[in-house]
Amino acid sequence: AYDYLRSFDVADPEADAERLYYLTECARRLGRDEEMLALTERLGRLYPNSPWRLNALVSAANRYLLDNQTDKYIPLYRACYENFPAAEEASYCHWKVTWHFYLTRRPEAANLLREHLSRYPGSEKAAAALYFLGRLAERQGASGAARTWYEALQARFPNYYYAHAAEERLRRADLKQASPSAEAAAFLNKIAWPERPVADGFEPSPAVRLRLQRARLLGAAGLDALREEELRFGAATDGQPHVVALELARVMSATNPVHRVIRTLKDLVPANLRFRQEQAPKQFWTFLFPFPHRSLIESSARRHRVDPFLIAGLVRQESEFNPGAVSPARAYGLAQILPSQGRILARQTGLRRFRISMLFQPAVNLHLGTYFLRSLLDKFQGRMEVALAAYNAGPNRAERWLSWAEFEEPAEFIETIPFTETRNYVAAVLRNAEIYRRLYAPVKAPPSSVKPGSPAAQPLKKAPVTKSPGGAGKSRSKQR
């Protein structure tokens, strides 16, 4: 393909820009990085405003991101958001530059974090920007500003990983006693935040009340398929999807496995985490965060000295508690274990006559998955963020990422992970664990377990190199 694309000329400018883009992709896949960069620069000279140039910039920058070549990826990401400010990729590229400046302790970091919120208020990194503005304010001794950033984060992004991290910071005495910053509050008031779904509680409106009555009549008549169709239509059209979806979850829970109930709520109420815990009935949360196989999880957690809430949070993220789940990477069961990995873990735990089909057995899968997580926690000195990254993407990658900087707190390591899937996975598991703790405590965790998700500012040092099962990891994700 590379030779063919080089062999002809194209008269139409946009078609030639497309040809050059695919040449950069060929060069990238062939490992010809310098050629890829030269082609990207040529695209910029010939067709500076073409969307194919934007694609090439992001692709080339992501290639260098994987190797932490900051001198090469920073100019590419900057060219992306400066030349294509309205593009969907602009906020992503701006954040990569912002994060580099923050992690390298550059004085421009604060302005870039503010700029990210002003330019891209709908960015998926808005919560992270608020959190790290708070951390910068703390380092500068501006307790009032830190409190303002953290409280804004909690109000707008409840149940996010960074909201839980902010909550822990706000327990500090100096922040509790600090007066909010008028300057930070004024800045926040000027941001054109995207509209959020109206959180009008769970009292049904008249239209929704009629919808629920019709659905219940259909159910009483034994017309279960029509009842579900009625509720799904109502969730899409009646203006209170959370109310109708909760009714559907109640109906489904009688005959459906929990993973289908979770998936239904996620699909019908995609903004489900925007509710504060006290805004929704407890049943709403227990449907979203169920705790099946609880006795098995607690037993495995005690046996391997791991927090049971962490295991529950991991299983929810891996399989949504579907014991028959099979991932695109062919990982099996509740904790999503690869067959090759399962054989190694079975030998290490003394499980005889192991067969791949045993990974679909909850007791076996949870035992092996918990043991594997324990081995990663031991390898990385109890650092949950790193252990979870290794669980998803492999210990070798996690160890490599750990060498990229002197991280002052776990959140910095998480934000530096170059794979979007793994980065989001780690944050989600820690968030899940905290929600499970709030919903299902008290469950006594083993004395030697480590509380997940703590954002305490503990410097992360490189872990010693030791062998660990499943070194390849399960992640098939790319950067971003």
Side-chain angles (χ1 to χ4, degrees), residues 332 354-361:
Y332 292 178
F354 172 78
R355 300 181 306 280
I356 292 173
S357 61
M358 294 171 71
L359 293 175
F360 293 122
Q361 300 174 17

Side-chain angles (χ1 to χ4, degrees), residues 217-293:
L217 284 171
L218 289 167
L223 302 171
D224 293 341
L226 286 175
R227 173 176 58 178
E228 181 172 333
E229 186 179 338
E230 180 79 19
L231 290 170
R232 288 184 180 276
F233 181 79
T237 60
D238 289 347
Q240 286 186 308
H242 50 291
V243 177
V244 184
L246 178 56
E247 176 73 9
L248 181 56
R250 292 188 184 114
V251 169
M252 292 181 65
S253 64
T255 56
N256 286 267
V258 295
H259 66 270
R260 290 184 183 164
V261 178
I262 295 174
R263 178 49 46 198
T264 296
L265 279 172
K266 284 183 174 181
D267 289 344
L268 297 181
V269 194
N272 55 78
L273 293 178
R274 293 293 180 93
F275 290 103
R276 293 191 300 274
Q277 190 167 341
E278 67 276 8
Q279 283 182 306
K282 186 173 182 180
Q283 194 178 48
F284 179 79
W285 296 113
T286 55
F287 281 144
L288 270 172
F289 294 88
F291 208 161
H293 312 295

Side-chain angles (χ1 to χ4, degrees), residues 406-418:
E406 292 296 326
F407 302 109
E408 293 188 359
E409 59 177 305
E412 292 187 357
F413 172 79
I414 293 173
E415 203 53 55
T416 302
I417 294 171

Side-chain angles (χ1 to χ4, degrees), residues 242-469:
H242 50 291
V243 177
V244 184
L246 178 56
E247 176 73 9
L248 181 56
R250 292 188 184 114
V251 169
M252 292 181 65
S253 64
T255 56
N256 286 267
V258 295
H259 66 270
R260 290 184 183 164
V261 178
I262 295 174
R263 178 49 46 198
T264 296
L265 279 172
K266 284 183 174 181
D267 289 344
L268 297 181
V269 194
N272 55 78
L273 293 178
R274 293 293 180 93
F275 290 103
R276 293 191 300 274
Q277 190 167 341
E278 67 276 8
Q279 283 182 306
K282 186 173 182 180
Q283 194 178 48
F284 179 79
W285 296 113
T286 55
F287 281 144
L288 270 172
F289 294 88
F291 208 161
H293 312 295
R294 181 171 181 172
S295 61
L296 289 175
I297 288 173
E298 291 177 3
S299 173
S300 294
R302 282 192 299 271
R303 183 174 182 178
H304 299 298
R305 299 172 293 113
V306 181
D307 190 322
F309 297 120
L310 181 63
I311 300 302
L314 180 147
V315 172
R316 183 186 185 272
Q317 199 63 26
E318 288 284 357
S319 66
E320 295 179 342
F321 293 99
N322 178 6
V326 180
S327 77
R330 309 303 293 174
Y332 292 178
L334 291 173
Q336 290 289 277
I337 296 172
L338 294 166
S340 58
Q341 184 184 59
R343 291 189 189 94
I344 296 171
L345 295 170
R347 284 198 300 270
Q348 292 178 344
T349 58
L351 180 63
R352 297 182 178 182
R353 298 174 183 170
F354 172 78
R355 300 181 306 280
I356 292 173
S357 61
M358 294 171 71
L359 293 175
F360 293 122
Q361 300 174 17
V364 172
N365 194 287
L366 288 169
H367 168 58
L368 298 180
T370 307
Y371 171 81
F372 181 38
L373 182 60
R374 176 73 264 169
S375 72
L376 293 172
L377 287 166
D378 291 342
K379 175 182 176 64
F380 293 109
Q381 303 171 359
R383 301 164 190 158
M384 252 157 314
E385 289 79 4
V386 187
L388 289 171
Y391 193 99
N392 181 263
N396 293 336
R397 286 190 180 117
E399 201 158 45
R400 186 164 167 243
W401 298 334
L402 195 57
S403 71
W404 283 5
E406 292 296 326
F407 302 109
E408 293 188 359
E409 59 177 305
E412 292 187 357
F413 172 79
I414 293 173
E415 203 53 55
T416 302
I417 294 171
F419 291 175
T420 294
E421 178 191 317
T422 302
R423 186 172 59 252
N424 292 344
Y425 170 86
V426 174
V429 171
L430 295 175
R431 173 208 68 202
N432 292 350
E434 184 60 32
I435 292 174
Y436 273 102
R437 179 171 291 102
R438 294 181 181 187
L439 287 175
Y440 296 99
V443 174
K444 291 185 179 178
S448 58
S449 67
V450 188
K451 181 183 176 184
S454 172
Q458 301 273 343
L460 295 179
K461 299 176 183 176
K462 299 176 188 177
V465 178
T466 58
K467 285 191 175 181
S468 183

